[in-house]
Amino acid sequence: FIDPWDFNISQNEYDDDDDDADANAKYNRASKLIDTITRALVTDTQTQFKIGGIGSSIMAGHDNCRYDSYESQMERTFAPIWKAAGGMEFIFQNGGIGGSCGDNYKNGVLCVAQTISPDVDIVHYEWTNYEHGG
């Protein structure tokens, strides 16, 4: 994943390891992500780029110091890039819950509008500890 991004990627390149439905879904997600970021960079009126994160205790930063939490690492990594590329402020809204309220990977996405701001540019979902019985 460290190779230069190919903005002219074809849908066929996603077909190597996946069935057609998975390949099509990956292609559509990648296309939407590229479109969202590109529009943010070329729109003169956009002054912030917001990612909202929902998920488990990993997203929430439980049992971790604030500096090393996922949210803080995202902000430290991406804020200088967004500032240099478009003069924008990078904001990561943390909506991690941890599961103690009955929230889980199956129903957590249903509360996305109540957990993070409705005006985020990208929603990032994390529940990987629990999705596959981990």
Side-chain angles (χ1 to χ4, degrees):
F1 66 90
I2 60 173
D3 291 336
W5 189 267
D6 181 3
F7 288 100
N8 295 315
I9 195 165
S10 71
Q11 191 164 357
N12 293 338
E13 292 183 47
Y14 283 100
D15 290 337
D16 293 343
D17 300 325
D18 301 315
D19 62 36
D20 288 340
D22 286 343
N24 195 31
K26 285 181 182 178
Y27 177 80
N28 288 339
R29 284 193 303 267
S31 296
K32 174 63 176 150
L33 185 61
I34 292 168
D35 184 65
T36 299
I37 291 171
T38 303
R39 286 176 188 271
L41 289 170
V42 300
T43 302
D44 292 335
T45 57
Q46 187 163 348
T47 59
Q48 299 176 328
F49 190 81
K50 298 178 187 174
I51 294 180
I54 63 170
S56 70
S57 58
I58 294 169
M59 183 65 72
H62 294 176
D63 299 325
N64 206 349
C65 65
R66 169 105 172 100
Y67 182 83
D68 291 328
S69 70
Y70 189 75
E71 169 190 13
S72 295
Q73 289 188 40
M74 291 283 283
E75 287 178 338
R76 278 195 316 276
T77 303
F78 290 110
I81 296 168
W82 280 97
K83 185 59 85 178
M88 279 187 262
E89 178 184 13
F90 177 83
I91 299 170
F92 190 93
Q93 295 181 348
N94 190 340
I97 296 174
S100 62
C101 64
D103 200 14
N104 63 42
Y105 70 95
K106 293 179 183 175
N107 64 17
V109 295
L110 302 176
C111 301
V112 69
Q114 292 77 24
T115 309
I116 55 175
S117 172
D119 67 341
V120 296
D121 296 290
I122 296 172
V123 175
H124 177 36
Y125 163 97
E126 176 283 317
W127 252 293
T128 54
N129 272 3
Y130 306 103
E131 288 180 334
H132 305 289

